Amino acid sequence: MYKVFVPLAFAAALVVAAPASAQRASLADRVAVLEQRAADNQGNIDLLNQLTALRTEVQSLRSQVEELQQQNEQLKSQGRNQYLDLDGRLNRIESGATPVAPPAGQSPSVSATPAPAAPAPTVRDTTPTIHGDPGSLSKMADERSAYETAFDALKSGEYTESARRFQQFLVDFPAGSYAPNARYWLGESFYVTQNYASALEQFQSLISQHPTHDKTPGALLKVGLSQYGMNDLDAAEATLSRVGKQYPGTDAARTAEDRLHAIQLARLR
């Protein structure tokens, strides 16, 4: 009887102990799953931050391409206008210097009166008014030079210096043709140095003063990102949502959507 009873008791003990062991294993598995999910969420946030940085870099490169294209168009326009002006002057000189044949019976030794110059088209006779007088041309050249000096500092990573130069540019040329771009890059100079309050002010000013400028979508995005940097998450979410609604399909809208997802994931943690 003893030999029969002992195995039965041992088997009964195993049956009782099995559920507790299984429960411990199940709990460990659940904890591991939760830890994996938390790690995945952090990984997603890191990927979104990297994607945002890459898109910002692409936007900066596109802005540089736009600057080069604008400079190329200006050079083409200047070359065309210079050619037309030179051509008009040569036409007038050639027309005024060509003598007419002497009338019949007049001695060839008597000088003939030069023929009057034929009227040249207006575009060849005068400098196009779009370029203004020499003083205006000089001012435009000064504006462009000041803008390029500030932009060079930005491209070199000298953000404090670029901010100073863009601020001075806006003082010297508040209504210049480069003023909207200068205000945008001034905001960027503040943003990259984490001076979010000053960056926010510049981006909002650009939006209010130039609502149809091609920098406005990016400026609205940076308003939201500046609010995010200031930890004003509610305002950031509202602004980033506006970017997608007002400028769908743009790089700014895609970046705003990525940042919105990151904010929402952060709220769940």
Side-chain angles (χ1 to χ4, degrees), residues 59 207 216-225 227 235-260:
Q59 187 175 4
I207 293 169
T216 300
L220 184 59
L221 169 65
K222 286 305 174 70
V223 168
L225 295 181
Q227 292 167 334
E237 280 189 289
T239 302
L240 294 172
S241 297
R242 281 179 56 200
V243 177
K245 293 176 182 177
Q246 292 183 215
Y247 308 103
T250 62
D251 287 340
R254 286 187 285 271
T255 302
E257 184 179 0
D258 291 339
R259 180 54 63 182
L260 275 173

Side-chain angles (χ1 to χ4, degrees), residues 183 201-212 216 219 223 242:
R183 192 169 296 281
E201 180 183 357
Q202 296 304 321
F203 291 129
Q204 288 177 330
S205 179
L206 172 60
I207 293 169
S208 63
Q209 294 179 21
H210 309 280
T212 60
T216 300
V223 168
R242 281 179 56 200

Side-chain angles (χ1 to χ4, degrees), residues 127-225:
T127 303
T129 55
I130 189 172
H131 293 279
D133 55 30
S136 298
L137 290 174
S138 176
K139 185 176 181 180
M140 290 176 61
D142 292 343
E143 177 188 348
R144 180 175 174 180
S145 177
Y147 178 84
E148 290 177 347
T149 299
F151 198 74
D152 286 342
L154 179 69
K155 290 189 294 185
S156 299
E158 302 172 15
Y159 302 118
T160 301
E161 180 62 17
S162 66
R164 186 191 67 79
R165 294 181 184 180
F166 280 124
Q167 284 177 311
Q168 187 60 48
F169 176 91
L170 291 171
V171 170
D172 295 337
F173 308 99
S177 45
Y178 286 94
N181 287 39
R183 192 169 296 281
Y184 178 86
W185 294 118
L186 174 58
E188 284 282 6
S189 299
F190 286 136
Y191 180 82
V192 296
T193 56
Q194 299 183 356
N195 188 350
Y196 298 121
S198 296
L200 180 66
E201 180 183 357
Q202 296 304 321
F203 291 129
Q204 288 177 330
S205 179
L206 172 60
I207 293 169
S208 63
Q209 294 179 21
H210 309 280
T212 60
H213 195 270
D214 58 3
K215 292 290 186 190
T216 300
L220 184 59
L221 169 65
K222 286 305 174 70
V223 168
L225 295 181

Side-chain angles (χ1 to χ4, degrees), residues 65-138:
V65 171
E66 291 173 3
E67 294 293 336
L68 291 174
Q69 289 175 337
Q70 184 178 8
Q71 292 174 13
N72 187 45
E73 289 300 322
Q74 289 177 343
L75 289 173
K76 287 182 179 178
S77 177
Q78 290 175 2
R80 182 169 55 252
N81 292 328
Q82 289 173 357
Y83 167 77
L84 293 175
D85 181 69
L86 179 60
D87 185 61
R89 292 184 181 184
L90 288 173
N91 285 338
R92 291 194 298 274
I93 292 172
E94 292 171 352
S95 298
T98 303
V100 296
Q106 182 176 344
S107 171
S109 61
V110 177
S111 299
T113 303
T122 303
V123 69
R124 295 186 176 186
D125 201 30
T126 59
T127 303
T129 55
I130 189 172
H131 293 279
D133 55 30
S136 298
L137 290 174
S138 176

